[in-house]
Amino acid sequence: MRIIVCDNYDLLSKKAAQIIGSQMILEPKSVLGLATGSTPIGMYRNLIKMYEEGLIDFSKITTFNLDEYYQLPIDNDQSYHYFMDENLFNHVNINRENIHIPNGMSDDIEAECTLYEEMIDNNGGIDIQVLGIGNNAHIGFNEPTINFNKGTHIVTLEESTREANARFFNSIDEVPTKAITMGTGSIFKSKKILLLASGKNKAEAIYNTVHGKVTPEVPSSILQFHKDVIIILDKEAASLLNEDDYELMSEFTKTK
Ligand code: F6R
């Protein structure tokens, strides 16, 4: 686990984009795992700029998004389909056939989840997965629970998650109660993971991710066992860590 602390959100966003951009330059057919929410918006802005400057090319890139609300039409401006178009896909030369986002409108959700997992595998797995983190340490929409969820599945959102996301809707009543999400297992299978967090309200979740017990009650804690995780934080999100933790390599990484 490598932890990089930046002075502010702008620098965090630039560094994250540079890491994704390097992956794309070194492997133009990369499979990227993408996240929505406020945190990666700055990274997407920087990726668009890098594309406009001719530094990166999306034409052979494949993407898989972490999650989508259940039964929220994709043309709703709060759907994650809509978010990705607005914040990235409409601005770069990605081939639409290579974009994958769970279909929350499917009549057969079980089949949709199985298919999504198969598509990730058939594309050779995810080269680098971008993650945000919930105040409750969720990754994707894997909420604190008693078991780590393996594959893509349907989940009931915690009230605290709905409250946190209500800022994007007119009222909390409009926030869907369910979502489809890649499982903790699907995320863990990614070759590399890039977790981003900004703001004081993420500090406790970050502390628990790095130092806490590995437990499904803190879904992000599983990342302690992954061999290639980069966490980029601003100072507020890092405020409960010690300086010794920065650039920290986990015991697992050291012994590999
Ligand atoms: C989004 C996702 C969520 C968010 C998390 C943080 O695709 O999977 O886990 O990353 O809820 O959201 P923000 O960045 O809005 O604080």
Side-chain angles (χ1 to χ4, degrees):
M1 195 175 264
R2 171 166 294 178
I3 300 173
I4 299 169
V5 181
C6 304
D7 275 353
N8 54 50
Y9 176 74
D10 274 356
L11 282 170
L12 173 161
S13 301
K14 281 188 185 138
K15 287 198 187 191
Q18 281 172 347
I19 289 171
I20 298 296
S22 310
Q23 169 72 38
M24 292 172 63
I25 292 167
L26 293 172
E27 180 42 84
K29 291 186 183 164
S30 288
V31 179
L32 307 181
L34 299 179
T36 58
S38 313
T39 314
I41 289 178
M43 178 191 77
Y44 291 139
R45 242 180 248 139
N46 279 282
L47 284 172
I48 293 168
K49 193 160 166 261
M50 287 163 81
Y51 163 72
E52 287 170 350
E53 288 168 353
L55 289 168
I56 53 172
D57 171 24
F58 284 81
S59 62
K60 297 190 181 72
I61 294 290
T62 297
T63 62
F64 283 91
N65 263 79
L66 282 167
D67 40 22
E68 177 58 285
Y69 288 118
Y70 179 57
Q71 286 185 347
L72 191 67
I74 62 171
D75 57 0
N76 183 301
D77 63 4
Q78 292 312 323
S79 81
Y80 289 168
H81 281 76
Y82 193 98
F83 174 102
M84 288 308 301
D85 280 348
E86 287 285 297
N87 288 291
L88 181 67
F89 297 147
N90 284 348
H91 309 283
V92 296
N93 66 334
I94 192 157
N95 180 347
R96 290 256 148 204
E97 285 174 10
N98 295 343
I99 295 172
H100 305 88
I101 304 177
N103 176 10
M105 296 300 287
S106 169
D107 293 335
D108 187 344
I109 286 295
E110 290 302 318
E112 170 63 21
C113 293
T114 308
L115 178 68
Y116 202 70
E117 209 59 34
E118 281 171 8
M119 286 193 300
I120 296 175
D121 289 344
N122 293 343
N123 277 278
I126 290 171
D127 291 309
I128 183 161
Q129 174 67 57
V130 178
L131 296 177
I133 187 168
N135 299 346
N136 63 1
H138 72 211
I139 47 176
F141 272 138
N142 293 282
E143 300 284 33
T145 179
I146 48 167
N147 283 318
F148 285 114
N149 277 293
K150 290 199 187 95
T152 302
H153 62 287
I154 183 134
V155 68
T156 300
L157 299 177
E158 279 209 345
E159 253 342 88
S160 64
T161 298
R162 293 185 66 238
E163 279 161 21
N165 289 5
R167 68 191 194 276
F168 302 115
F169 292 80
N170 292 324
S171 80
I172 190 163
D173 301 331
E174 287 181 17
V175 184
T177 53
K178 292 184 176 183
I180 299 188
T181 181
M182 277 166 54
T184 325
S186 340
I187 293 169
F188 197 82
K189 277 195 294 186
S190 309
K191 290 162 206 153
K192 192 185 264 291
I193 292 178
L194 178 62
L195 171 65
L196 310 178
S198 159
K200 192 112 194 143
N201 58 336
K202 301 292 170 71
E204 192 179 339
I206 289 298
Y207 179 85
N208 290 333
T209 305
V210 176
H211 289 297
K213 197 167 81 177
V214 175
T215 161
E217 282 159 21
V218 181
S220 56
S221 64
I222 191 80
L223 300 179
Q224 289 179 29
F225 289 154
H226 194 283
K227 62 180 179 354
D228 197 354
V229 177
I230 303 171
I231 302 182
I232 310 188
L233 307 170
D234 64 9
K235 281 189 172 158
E236 287 74 28
S239 57
L240 295 179
L241 300 180
N242 299 315
E243 288 208 3
D244 295 351
D245 294 332
Y246 304 175
E247 291 289 343
L248 171 104
M249 306 291 282
S250 75
E251 289 307 311
F252 185 78
T253 310
K254 275 189 207 157
T255 56
K256 287 294 281 185

